[in-house]
Amino acid sequence: MVLPLIGSDSFPRTKRFDARDRLALVHNAKRRTTGVDVAALDAQVAEKAALRAAELERERAHDVLANTLDRRLVMLEQERRGIAKELEQNVARFRAEHQAKESRREFDLSDPSGKRDARPARLGDEDPRTGVSSAQKFDGEDLEAGARRVAQTAQAAAWYAAQTAEKEARLNEARLAKEAHKELLRAQEQYQNEAAEAQAAARRAHAASVAAENARLATLKRDAADSFKRAELDAENAERLRNENDMFLTENPLLATSALAPGRRVRPDHWKGASAAERAAVADAQRRQRLEKAEASKAEAAAEAFAASHYENTRRALEMNAERVEQFKAEQRAAVLATVLGQRAEKHESDAADRAERFQTGRFGEAYFAGFGASAR
């Protein structure tokens, strides 16, 4: 059996491709599946998606359970608070009904209104509490105090009524004054409004007149601008015609001819017909000038470099000299400091020796100190 060649027309599983098309397919990672287990990759993707969905479902169930427990705890807390509130209300109601201060045995000892509610020792001559041996009248007794208080209350009520009438009269006067002031303010406001309307009308009329005058001036300005533009256009046209007909600007060769020797001499200031040799001579002169300028620039750059080098060497020399001066100053300061420290040490040693000589060798003995306070004075 003869097998067909791969890539031939009789090979059933392939097609004939151009090399460039096949290279493009090979380089396309989205379409290249050679050596890749697509089914396994799809299975992994599906497994990850299932795990992710299961994880999301588990998290959702956990959230639902947490919300349910939270609502239940809130309900239990509200129920507990309601029970506690009801118990507190029952205790307060029981205390108000059965444990009042007036029902206590020792209330009379701390009753704040006991003196006010107590009955007097004698209400009058017919008081059954008084007998033959009882005192019939006490010092400072006033049995007419009640009637007097009633009369005083009536008198105070009449006085209060009079004061109320006077106050109402003052309030009525103030109210009338306020109404009059309101009327004055209303009239002033009306006058101000009328004046403002008159001023606004006058301003509108003035603005209309100003607008009309501005329009007239704008028309005049526009006409003047149009006239100026037309004059400028005419001047430009005349200048263009003059330039077009000018023999100098149009480079008329007749101007280059000298009047002294026509055909043999030309005017240098109007000459336009230089030959190739003359143009080459001019170009050669320009080239020489450029070379001379380049040489001069190089010489100037070299001189500037030399000057910069000289300035830099001078600056370095000055810096080195300054460093040497600073080093010399530091050495001098160190030497002075060493001298001062040596002198200070010598002085300290001499002072110590002097103290040892004066106080530690027995120069001042007991006889010296015994003389203090022994004077006859």
Side-chain angles (χ1 to χ4, degrees):
M1 179 179 180
V2 179
L3 296 176
L5 296 176
I6 297 176
S8 62
D9 295 335
S10 61
F11 192 75
R13 292 182 297 171
T14 61
K15 296 181 179 180
R16 301 185 67 182
F17 291 98
D18 190 1
R20 290 174 295 179
D21 297 338
R22 183 178 296 276
L23 185 61
L25 292 176
V26 169
H27 289 171
N28 190 355
K30 294 182 179 179
R31 300 182 60 182
R32 184 176 69 248
T33 58
T34 303
V36 178
D37 192 353
V38 179
L41 294 178
D42 294 339
Q44 290 178 2
V45 172
E47 183 180 359
K48 288 184 179 180
L51 292 176
R52 180 59 180 170
E55 182 67 21
L56 293 176
E57 182 64 23
R58 184 163 55 256
E59 291 180 358
R60 188 188 65 79
H62 181 271
D63 294 341
V64 171
L65 178 60
N67 292 332
T68 304
L69 294 177
D70 182 67
R71 288 195 297 270
R72 182 59 180 169
L73 290 175
V74 171
M75 293 174 60
L76 292 175
E77 179 65 19
Q78 292 178 355
E79 184 177 357
R80 185 191 66 78
R81 291 182 179 179
I83 294 172
K85 183 178 181 181
E86 185 177 359
L87 291 176
E88 292 176 357
Q89 290 177 354
N90 293 335
V91 171
R93 186 164 53 252
F94 178 80
R95 289 177 178 175
E97 293 178 358
H98 303 288
Q99 293 182 349
K101 292 183 179 180
E102 293 80 1
S103 62
R104 299 175 184 176
R105 292 181 298 178
E106 65 278 4
F107 178 71
D108 58 338
L109 301 178
S110 60
D111 186 6
S113 60
K115 295 295 183 181
R116 184 185 61 188
D117 298 338
R119 299 175 64 186
R122 194 174 77 91
L123 297 178
D125 295 337
E126 303 298 332
D127 192 349
R129 294 178 299 170
T130 60
V132 178
S133 61
S134 301
Q136 296 299 314
K137 189 173 182 180
F138 296 96
D139 186 15
E141 180 182 9
D142 189 5
L143 298 179
E144 302 297 331
R148 187 172 62 253
R149 282 195 295 269
V150 172
Q152 289 176 354
T153 303
Q155 185 180 6
W159 175 246
Y160 294 155
Q163 289 182 344
T164 303
E166 292 178 0
K167 184 176 181 180
E168 290 181 354
R170 289 195 301 270
L171 292 177
N172 290 330
E173 292 179 359
R175 189 180 304 107
L176 294 176
K178 189 175 182 179
E179 292 295 334
H181 184 64
K182 287 183 179 179
E183 291 295 333
L184 178 61
L185 293 179
R186 189 179 298 107
Q188 291 178 352
E189 184 177 0
Q190 183 178 1
Y191 176 76
Q192 290 178 357
N193 294 334
E194 292 176 356
E197 292 178 358
Q199 290 179 0
R203 285 194 296 269
R204 287 194 296 270
H206 178 68
S209 62
V210 170
E213 182 65 19
N214 290 337
R216 186 183 67 82
L217 294 176
T219 303
L220 295 176
K221 184 178 180 180
R222 185 170 55 254
D223 295 341
D226 294 340
S227 301
F228 181 73
K229 287 182 179 179
R230 286 193 298 270
E232 282 189 346
L233 183 60
D234 295 339
E236 290 178 358
N237 293 331
E239 184 178 1
R240 185 174 59 255
L241 292 175
R242 185 172 59 254
N243 293 336
E244 290 176 354
N245 297 325
D246 188 80
M247 298 180 64
F248 176 78
L249 296 178
T250 55
E251 299 182 357
N252 193 336
L254 296 178
L255 293 178
T257 303
S258 176
L260 299 177
R264 291 184 295 107
R265 293 181 63 180
V266 294
R267 295 177 57 186
D269 56 339
H270 289 273
W271 176 243
K272 301 297 182 180
S275 62
E278 293 174 346
R279 289 193 297 270
V282 172
D284 185 59
Q286 292 177 350
R287 184 171 60 258
R288 287 196 304 273
Q289 292 175 356
R290 285 194 297 269
L291 292 176
E292 292 175 357
K293 184 177 181 181
E295 293 296 334
S297 299
K298 290 181 180 180
E300 184 178 0
E304 291 181 355
F306 177 76
S309 176
H310 176 69
Y311 296 154
E312 181 64 20
N313 294 332
T314 304
R315 185 186 64 80
R316 292 180 180 179
L318 292 175
E319 288 183 355
M320 293 175 63
N321 189 17
E323 291 177 358
R324 287 194 296 269
V325 170
E326 293 296 332
Q327 183 178 1
F328 176 75
K329 290 181 180 179
E331 292 175 355
Q332 292 297 321
R333 285 194 295 268
V336 171
L337 179 61
T339 304
V340 171
L341 292 177
Q343 293 176 357
R344 189 178 300 172
E346 292 177 358
K347 186 177 183 303
H348 180 72
E349 292 177 357
S350 62
D351 293 342
D354 184 49
R355 286 193 298 270
E357 181 182 358
R358 294 178 60 185
F359 298 103
Q360 295 179 6
T361 59
R363 181 177 179 182
F364 300 97
E366 295 180 0
Y368 175 78
F369 292 103
F372 290 99
S375 176
R377 292 178 295 178

